[in-house]
Amino acid sequence: MNRKSAYAGWAVAAVLAGTVAFSSPVAAVGGATQAGSGDHWVDTWTAMPQLTEPGNMPPAPFTGTDSVFVNSTVRQTVHVTQGGDQLRLRFSNAFGGAALPITAASIALPAGGAAGVSGIQPGSSHALTFDGRPSAVVPTGSQVVSDPVGFHVPAGANLTVTMYLAQGQASTALTSHPGSRTTSYMEAGDHLDDTDLSGAATADHWYFISGVESWSGRDSAAAIVLGDSLSDGRGSTTNQNDRWPDQLAARLRRDPGTARVAVDNQAAGGNRLLNDGLGPNALSRVDRDVLAQSGVQWLLVFEGVNDIGTADATPQAQQQVTADVIAAYDQSIRRAHAQGIRVYGATLTPFGGNTGYDDPQGYREKSREAINDWIRNSGRFDAVVDFDKAARDPQNPRNILPQYDSGDHLHLNPAGYGALAAAVPDRLFLQQPLPPGFGFN
């Protein structure tokens, strides 16, 4: 019997037996955890969906002339910030040119607990279901959320997600997150249950997966990072999860007062506040990537350098982009405040010496300084995180400290990202009542 007919028979039998029911959380593995008052879903990992560029498409033969991943297994790992005993996953088809039929999907613990590996721990694989069915079709421009699955994953652990697509997707417009800095594996045929895909093709991108949620107590909440490549981790180490949001999450877990804070990275390389580039502009992403996420209490905005760097190096253009970036910050604050979310602003780090952004007359540097002055002194953000101070060279404030420079004088290395993480005060993520009138303006 093939997988499709076997799953169909399983689904009918399960429904007749009354075993497929997820109206409320079931006990965790071993029956240790029951739903409690105030329990809720919290995003423990996210990736911003993007339209895949030609250079980031799956390798041959997984990209055809008019389809992708036909009769293919895709195995990917993600790094959760908060653990849990009940998980559910989100699969995105936000930019797909056709419906996305998911034949089957599962989660497991990766071999050795490592990121970017092809193997899983034997016996750890759990099938995902969707409304009680083993498969799902994700409409164009939409997403699907799996049923809850009883599965224990520790905080700060890696999680493997495996998908089998029998039909593939009938379009080469593909939803992904190219800046995964994590290796994914692709193999022809149905290998969903294989403990290792050692002969598979690889790509350092995520495809289709956009979120993992954990059923958590009332003391758990999420902080969203809205950003560009400096948060997406350009200059960090592939398969090591040492971006600054990763390092911040690890530090928060060590403090009992913030141990239940999830840090969700909604950043993408090349992203801008005002105009589309690599991915939709950040203002258009606030609803999808912040307000629509689960369990969010805080938003940290670290974005704007690409707006400055891609605007003409003239006084008029830079004055305009400065005003527009400030207006975009204000709009983000208003929209998040209306949903009871505190918003923190991070100052923009230096780019002196970067070939593309540092102009000889210093017009873009003046914009950066003016924007940072507004972030620090306007009082519009609920708190300020001074990344500029953490990363700059005190002897040459237009430049990143040499020991933090990845080499292009714009992006940081893991040590530099550690300095950014260390600059974020733990107290910003203590759960406190909102002040009277919060959200009015």
Side-chain angles (χ1 to χ4, degrees):
M1 182 181 291
N2 62 31
R3 184 184 294 277
K4 182 176 180 181
S5 58
Y7 280 168
W10 174 89
V12 171
V15 170
L16 291 174
T19 59
V20 181
F22 293 98
S23 57
S24 63
V26 296
V29 176
T33 302
Q34 299 288 339
S37 176
D39 289 0
H40 61 152
W41 289 107
V42 176
D43 281 342
T44 182
W45 173 85
T46 58
M48 171 192 156
Q50 297 173 244
L51 176 64
T52 310
E53 299 175 280
N56 294 323
M57 293 293 288
F62 302 98
T63 297
T65 56
D66 55 4
S67 61
V68 293
F69 289 125
V70 175
N71 186 30
S72 299
T73 299
V74 185
R75 178 165 290 173
Q76 310 174 82
T77 57
V78 302
H79 188 67
V80 304
T81 56
Q82 283 299 301
D85 293 316
Q86 296 285 334
L87 305 179
R88 63 185 191 184
L89 274 72
R90 295 199 303 270
F91 298 87
S92 176
N93 193 23
F95 299 98
L100 169 63
I102 300 173
T103 309
S106 65
I107 57 175
L109 296 176
V117 296
S118 61
I120 59 174
Q121 296 181 24
S124 69
S125 181
H126 283 59
L128 297 178
T129 59
F130 306 87
D131 300 315
R133 298 173 294 180
S135 59
V137 176
V138 191
T140 302
S142 186
Q143 67 173 348
V144 297
V145 183
S146 76
D147 299 326
V149 57
F151 186 94
H152 176 71
V153 61
N158 294 305
L159 179 72
T160 297
V161 183
T162 307
M163 306 170 63
Y164 173 58
L165 288 75
Q167 303 172 48
Q169 187 170 24
S171 172
T172 54
L174 174 64
T175 302
S176 71
H177 187 87
S180 68
R181 275 92 198 173
T182 306
T183 304
S184 298
Y185 295 81
M186 292 143 272
E187 189 162 347
D190 180 358
H191 299 278
L192 189 80
D193 301 322
D194 289 11
T195 56
D196 196 13
L197 304 184
S198 57
T202 63
D204 291 340
H205 313 304
W206 285 312
Y207 299 104
F208 306 124
I209 52 177
S210 64
V212 178
E213 298 174 292
S214 172
W215 185 251
S216 306
R218 66 171 67 197
D219 60 339
S220 184
I224 297 284
V225 174
L226 194 68
D228 50 37
S229 57
L230 287 161
S231 299
D232 203 28
R234 182 170 177 180
S236 65
T237 312
T238 299
N239 295 323
Q240 293 301 308
N241 293 303
D242 53 16
R243 312 164 188 84
W244 75 260
D246 299 319
Q247 297 191 54
L248 172 63
R251 197 188 83 226
L252 294 179
R253 285 194 298 273
R254 294 192 292 267
D255 184 335
T258 56
R260 298 294 294 159
V261 175
V263 180
D264 298 321
N265 195 339
Q266 295 283 45
N271 200 238
R272 293 182 286 182
L273 283 163
L274 305 171
N275 297 299
D276 292 352
L278 298 181
N281 66 81
L283 269 185
S284 74
R285 296 199 291 119
V286 169
D287 288 348
R288 183 194 73 181
D289 293 346
V290 181
L291 306 184
Q293 301 303 309
S294 300
V296 180
Q297 287 195 13
W298 308 278
L299 167 62
L300 195 154
V301 180
F302 179 35
E303 192 152 10
V305 69
N306 292 324
D307 297 87
I308 295 171
T310 56
D312 290 341
T314 65
Q316 182 179 10
Q318 288 301 310
Q319 289 169 10
Q320 185 66 55
V321 78
T322 297
D324 290 346
V325 165
I326 289 171
Y329 289 151
D330 192 74
Q331 283 291 309
S332 300
I333 293 166
R334 290 175 187 268
R335 290 158 65 183
H337 276 182
Q339 302 300 318
I341 298 171
R342 286 184 168 94
V343 187
Y344 306 142
T347 53
L348 303 181
T349 49
F351 48 77
N354 178 264
T355 302
Y357 285 6
D358 188 19
D359 62 287
Q361 293 79 19
Y363 294 130
R364 294 190 177 112
E365 172 63 15
K366 289 179 182 177
S367 294
R368 188 183 74 89
E369 293 172 358
I371 289 169
N372 282 349
D373 180 70
W374 187 89
I375 292 171
R376 291 184 179 109
N377 299 310
S378 68
R380 286 295 287 138
F381 285 108
D382 298 298
V384 174
V385 179
D386 205 338
F387 281 171
D388 170 44
K389 183 178 179 181
R392 72 191 180 206
D393 183 348
Q395 305 304 316
N396 188 4
R398 290 183 53 167
N399 288 29
I400 300 168
L401 269 169
Q403 59 264 40
Y404 293 163
D405 195 339
S406 68
D408 65 3
H409 311 302
L410 171 64
H411 298 95
L412 308 182
N413 58 28
Y417 288 132
L420 298 191
V424 184
D426 291 12
R427 61 179 172 77
L428 298 184
F429 304 104
L430 298 176
Q431 295 199 29
Q432 301 174 357
L434 296 172
F438 184 91
F440 174 73
N441 188 6

